[in-house]
Structures are given as structure tokens and as C-alpha cells.
Amino acid sequence: MSTEAHTEVVTRGEDLAHDVHHEHPSDLQYIYIGLFLAVVTAAEVGLYYTEIDFLLNTIILCAMMVVKFATVGMFFMHLRFDNRVFRWFFVTGLVLAIFVYLIVLTTFHFWSGH
């Protein structure tokens, strides 16, 4: 491949990479997202010390975990702005991880109550 042809291919690839534009959150939005994550984390810690049913506590904590995980993935990993295929890979991995986690907990008789 000649130098001119190589330069043309590289330039075309750079043009394609720069054609995809999307809005990123502003600095203020990142601060709001960080505050949201801090509040959810504080709620998780507070919920751990409450005297509610063990199974209900576990379900609520898992739901909060998924919300935080999705928030970080969507905004800090920019999946919200990327191709939907990447989002589906991410969600599929999350569902698989939860499924495996629940199987492991069941194996250790976690649901029998403590």
C-alpha cells in the first residue's frame, strides 16, 4: 500500500470516528449523578441496619444495587450515548451476573433466614 493510499484510509477512518457526535452530560449533571449515587449508597447502608424482614431487605438492597450499577454504566461508561448493541451486551451481562449470584446464594442456603 502506498503512503498516499495509507494516509487516505487513515483519514477516512478518522472522519468516520468523528462523524458520531452525541451530548455528554455537563459537569453539573455529573455532580448530580454523583450526589444521586451517594444518596442511594447512604440508603443502602441505612437499610442494612433496619429491622425489616431478611428477604425483603435483600430484595430492596439488590434493586438498589442494580440502579447504581445501571447509573454508572449509562453515564460514566457512556452506554447511554453509544450504540444500542453495547447497551444490550451490558444488560445481558448484568442479568447473567444476577442469575449466577442468586444460584450461588441458593447453594449456600442463604434464603433459609438467619
Side-chain angles (χ1 to χ4, degrees):
M1 179 180 278
S2 71
T3 307
E4 289 178 10
H6 178 69
T7 304
E8 184 179 331
V9 170
V10 171
T11 304
R12 232 184 280 152
E14 289 173 359
D15 289 343
L16 290 175
H18 293 295
D19 283 344
V20 180
H21 296 288
H22 50 76
E23 283 292 316
H24 288 281
S26 68
D27 291 345
L28 184 60
Q29 287 172 319
Y30 278 122
I31 291 171
Y32 288 148
I33 293 166
L35 289 173
F36 170 74
L37 292 171
V39 167
V40 174
T41 301
E44 286 175 328
V45 171
L47 185 64
Y48 177 78
Y49 291 106
T50 61
E51 297 292 327
I52 63 172
D53 182 55
F54 178 75
L55 182 60
L56 180 63
N57 193 10
T58 303
I59 291 170
I60 293 171
L61 284 172
C62 285
M64 293 171 125
M65 171 195 67
V66 169
V67 167
K68 284 179 20 179
F69 186 74
T71 302
V72 168
M74 291 297 137
F75 289 99
F76 292 106
M77 294 172 60
H78 302 281
L79 288 176
R80 182 171 180 233
F81 311 106
D82 278 339
N83 191 326
R84 289 184 181 204
V85 172
F86 298 129
R87 195 176 312 166
W88 280 108
F89 282 136
F90 186 76
V91 169
T92 302
L94 175 63
V95 170
L96 181 63
I98 291 171
F99 185 68
V100 169
Y101 185 69
L102 292 175
I103 289 173
V104 169
L105 289 179
T106 302
T107 303
F108 292 127
H109 305 285
F110 184 77
W111 305 111
S112 62
H114 296 227

